[in-house]
Amino acid sequence: MNQVDYLRISLIDRCNFRCQYCMPEGAELDYILKQQLLTDEELLTLLEFVFIPVGLTRFRLTGGEPLLRPRVLELVGAIASLPQTQDLSMTTNGFLLAPMAQSLYNAGLRRINISLDSLDPDTFNQIIGNQGRGRWQQVWDGIQAAYQVGFNPLKLNVVVIPGVNDREILDLAALTIDKQWHVRFIEFMPIGNAHLFGDRGWIPSEEIRQRIRYRWGLTESQVCGNGPADVFQIPGAQGTLGFISQMSECFCDRCNRMRLSADGWLRPCLLNEAGQIDLKTALRNGISTAHLREQVRKLLEIKPEINFKQRDPGNTKGTYTRTMSQIGG
Ligand code: SAM
Ligand code: SF4
């Protein structure tokens, strides 16, 4: 059985972008109220006395946009300095990254994933919800800053959207040739957004690989923190190419992760909320961390039975109402 040792922690559900596949403009999103967010202290208590003792020792900070979390540097520092933290990483849209990259590194963050769906400022702007063309440059500056500072591996996440950015697959893959950048192509998931992209569907990873293979060839490879990605490399390239194929392949049997939402719900699966535990309310009601530990241990035991496919087997289009920013992607 897979060892579940990885926790994705959503620091905030808000975001400064409105990516059409995640927080479509005009969508009714019920934001978590400030007083409902887990405080830094509550999060650190859960890490130290609940998650780490049950074996969850590798953490990824995400959101919404994690860099919008107040005092994020202090929080990164506190999590990095817990003696049992084995790995700490972050997924960010990169918009606020350039001036923060060095401080994040100094605070103890070593691995970072930055979303970059396009190399073209106009397409990028269209994807992020028409927030202004200048945003692409600011994200690009964030990527360069993270590279200079020494984040390793530095991964770039690309959600491939048919008819929007799929023509850039080769250009994005080419970023891995001269630099140790790791580009990961993510199959677009119609969650909370089916009305926008439902008709265009999604492009299977194998089709993306074929396009790249035809141009350069591809060999199998490895990179630290693969997670569910299948990793390949253009022969001779410095970086790698990852493919996250949650639509075309079921990797539930390889799943090693749990998710903590910004308001303190612990969930065993991205799209199946069976067994979820409201840890924040429990903490605020004075339930002991020893009791919570037992609850989490039990949830870990039943996790293999809670998965993506079995949630709704008839739902072949995979349409869900919660968006990634709400789940904590
Ligand atoms: N705001 C940060 C960012 O964009 O990197 C972190 C949170 S975001 C929800 C985490 C990842 O989920 C991003 O790489 C984003 O592209 C991906 N994502 C969001 N909605 C998605 C969808 N519908 N299908 C596939 N990936 C999605
Ligand atoms: Fe924000 Fe990330 Fe969602 Fe885009 S994908 S809207 S950047 S949370």
Side-chain angles (χ1 to χ4, degrees):
M1 200 169 68
N2 236 346
Q3 196 199 349
V4 180
D5 62 355
Y6 176 48
L7 180 68
R8 289 179 76 98
I9 302 170
S10 174
L11 293 184
I12 190 162
D13 60 337
R14 290 170 197 258
C15 188
N16 40 9
F17 284 4
R18 286 288 173 276
C19 299
Q20 295 184 49
Y21 49 72
C22 178
M23 297 177 98
E25 205 132 20
E28 298 280 327
L29 294 177
D30 293 327
Y31 289 120
I32 299 169
L33 298 174
K34 191 163 169 247
Q35 61 271 29
Q36 296 302 330
L37 286 176
L38 269 184
T39 64
D40 293 1
E41 205 181 20
E42 287 167 339
L43 175 57
L44 291 166
T45 300
L46 288 174
L47 287 170
E48 199 171 351
F49 299 106
V50 179
F51 299 135
I52 288 174
V54 300
L56 294 164
T57 53
R58 302 193 302 120
F59 309 115
R60 175 170 296 277
L61 306 177
T62 178
E65 174 45 40
L67 294 181
L68 289 178
R69 168 95 180 195
R71 299 178 307 283
V72 66
L73 290 174
E74 289 82 348
L75 195 52
V76 166
I79 300 174
S81 57
L82 291 172
Q84 301 91 337
T85 296
Q86 292 195 355
D87 184 35
L88 180 62
S89 56
M90 177 181 279
T91 303
T92 169
N93 63 26
F95 185 62
L96 299 174
L97 186 58
M100 295 175 81
Q102 185 68 60
S103 313
L104 284 164
Y105 192 89
N106 294 348
L109 192 72
R110 289 292 178 273
R111 302 203 294 114
I112 200 157
N113 290 15
I114 305 163
S115 294
L116 182 76
D117 293 332
S118 176
L119 292 170
D120 170 51
D122 287 320
T123 308
F124 185 79
N125 189 33
Q126 182 198 342
I127 294 171
I128 67 164
N130 295 312
Q131 309 258 306
R133 279 185 91 246
R135 293 208 162 200
W136 181 89
Q137 187 63 50
Q138 200 163 320
V139 170
W140 188 250
D141 292 346
I143 294 169
Q144 301 288 348
Y147 187 54
Q148 298 292 323
V149 163
F151 281 99
N152 188 13
L154 187 151
K155 296 184 186 170
L156 302 179
N157 286 355
V158 181
V159 176
V160 180
I161 311 156
V164 177
N165 64 351
D166 60 320
R167 63 180 179 277
E168 294 186 59
I169 286 171
L170 294 182
D171 293 337
L172 287 156
L175 294 175
T176 64
I177 295 176
D178 297 328
K179 291 204 177 73
Q180 247 197 7
W181 289 359
H182 305 273
V183 171
R184 291 147 36 106
F185 293 104
I186 304 174
E187 285 176 351
F188 158 62
M189 284 193 284
I191 59 173
N193 55 16
H195 60 292
L196 279 173
F197 289 119
D199 294 342
R200 296 186 195 153
W202 45 277
I203 301 184
S205 293
E206 183 49 29
E207 189 183 321
I208 301 173
R209 282 195 288 269
Q210 271 169 14
R211 293 194 205 176
I212 299 169
R213 207 178 273 126
Y214 184 72
R215 171 73 178 79
W216 291 288
L218 268 185
T219 53
E220 284 188 24
S221 185
Q222 285 288 322
V223 66
C224 167
N226 285 357
D230 295 310
V231 183
F232 292 80
Q233 197 163 27
I234 295 172
Q238 296 201 34
T240 63
L241 294 167
F243 297 86
I244 303 182
S245 317
Q246 69 286 352
M247 297 298 291
S248 60
E249 296 159 24
C250 178
F251 47 65
C252 295
D253 56 339
R254 291 191 260 155
C255 180
N256 63 349
R257 59 198 55 198
M258 301 281 274
R259 291 168 191 271
L260 182 68
S261 71
D263 56 351
W265 285 88
L266 183 69
R267 300 199 166 102
C269 172
L270 179 64
L271 295 173
N272 186 339
E273 294 176 350
Q276 60 178 335
I277 309 172
D278 180 358
L279 291 171
K280 180 204 66 206
T281 303
L283 267 186
R284 290 185 188 177
N285 287 340
I287 308 287
S288 73
T289 49
H291 182 79
L292 296 180
R293 232 175 6 248
E294 272 326 293
Q295 276 190 286
V296 173
R297 224 187 282 279
K298 285 192 186 128
L299 183 56
L300 283 170
E301 275 168 23
I302 60 164
K303 177 172 158 60
E305 295 147 35
I306 302 172
N307 61 41
F308 177 97
K309 281 275 151 73
Q310 147 253 60
R311 174 193 182 269
D312 191 0
N315 186 357
T316 49
K317 259 193 132 185
T319 50
Y320 302 99
T321 48
R322 271 170 171 280
T323 67
M324 284 289 265
S325 67
Q326 291 170 315
I327 301 167

